[in-house]
Amino acid sequence: VLEGYAEYYSEDLKEKVVRGLKVNAAKGKWNGGTLPIGYVVDEEQHLQINERTAPHVVEAFKQYDEGKTITDIQGYFKEKGITNTKGSAVSWAAVQHMLSNRRYIGEYASQGVVIPDGIPAIVQLDLFERVQEKLEKNKKAPARAKAEENYLLTTKIFCGYCGTSMNGESGKSRNGSIHRYYKC
């Protein structure tokens, strides 16, 4: 009987917590987790723009739009002294997540509740959409990080049979000479 009551209590508590998180989300309140770079939480648990780091977030989006890599942007954050909420250097994965995070255009989503313009936007919608297109395009070009040499046609030529991108590769022959070629 006690085990059944404990199980019921646990399930009931879970439902109440989830309901509370959804109510907070509907009010646009921050439910916790890793705070996005460029935002702070005010006394009423709402996300507000961090005046110190928000301009660097906009600059990161602009740099990626202009052709810089995620690694370049990570270096930019390190150079400017921008850290994550734990005080550590901003990781490559954090930059990638930042560039695809819809919160930066003001869309607040939590617990299945999505509120357009629920938080202050840091990045303009047109810049965000251009970055999303470039992220999608670069996702289909995995050889950029693989090639040690510059292969000018990587991400620009595609296989005539299957349509995937052709990646630059090289290999040594028996006599030691290096042969460079593109491979599907």
Side-chain angles (χ1 to χ4, degrees):
V1 173
L2 289 175
E3 285 180 18
Y5 184 72
E7 184 178 345
Y8 168 77
Y9 175 77
S10 177
E11 287 298 317
D12 186 49
L13 182 62
K14 175 183 161 188
E15 287 178 20
K16 288 178 182 176
V17 168
V18 169
R19 184 173 52 237
L21 290 173
K22 285 185 179 183
V23 168
N24 278 348
K27 293 178 183 176
K29 291 186 175 183
W30 180 247
N31 276 327
T34 303
L35 196 61
I37 298 169
Y39 286 104
V40 292
V41 178
D42 65 11
E43 308 83 39
E44 297 162 1
Q45 294 181 318
H46 290 96
L47 287 176
Q48 300 297 333
I49 293 176
N50 182 337
E51 300 299 330
R52 186 181 81 77
T53 57
H56 298 293
V57 170
V58 174
E59 183 61 28
F61 274 86
K62 286 180 181 175
Q63 285 184 11
Y64 194 80
D65 185 40
E66 293 167 357
K68 299 276 185 166
T69 64
I70 292 176
T71 305
D72 294 337
I73 295 169
Q74 184 184 9
Y76 168 78
F77 280 140
K78 187 174 183 178
E79 175 186 309
K80 296 296 181 181
I82 305 298
T83 60
N84 62 18
T85 54
K86 296 177 183 174
S88 304
V90 178
S91 68
W92 189 92
V95 173
Q96 184 181 35
H97 178 70
M98 178 185 70
L99 293 173
S100 60
N101 191 341
R102 298 189 62 83
R103 286 189 183 118
Y104 291 106
I105 57 171
E107 185 177 290
Y108 181 71
S110 180
Q111 299 296 316
V113 178
V114 177
I115 305 171
D117 299 322
I119 57 176
I122 294 177
V123 177
Q124 297 295 322
L125 181 61
D126 61 329
L127 175 61
F128 183 82
E129 288 175 348
R130 286 195 311 267
V131 167
Q132 298 319 296
E133 289 171 10
K134 290 191 181 199
L135 283 171
E136 188 62 31
K137 179 183 171 190
N138 291 340
K139 188 187 295 183
K140 295 178 182 174
R144 183 174 193 171
K146 183 178 179 184
E148 293 176 9
E149 294 130 15
N150 243 352
Y151 289 90
L152 298 176
L153 299 177
T154 297
T155 73
K156 293 174 180 60
I157 59 173
F158 299 90
C159 178
Y161 294 108
C162 66
T164 60
S165 64
M166 301 285 284
N167 304 323
E169 291 202 5
S170 64
K172 283 187 180 179
S173 63
R174 289 184 192 158
N175 64 7
S177 60
I178 298 176
H179 299 277
R180 292 174 178 80
Y181 53 92
Y182 289 91
K183 181 179 174 185
C184 174

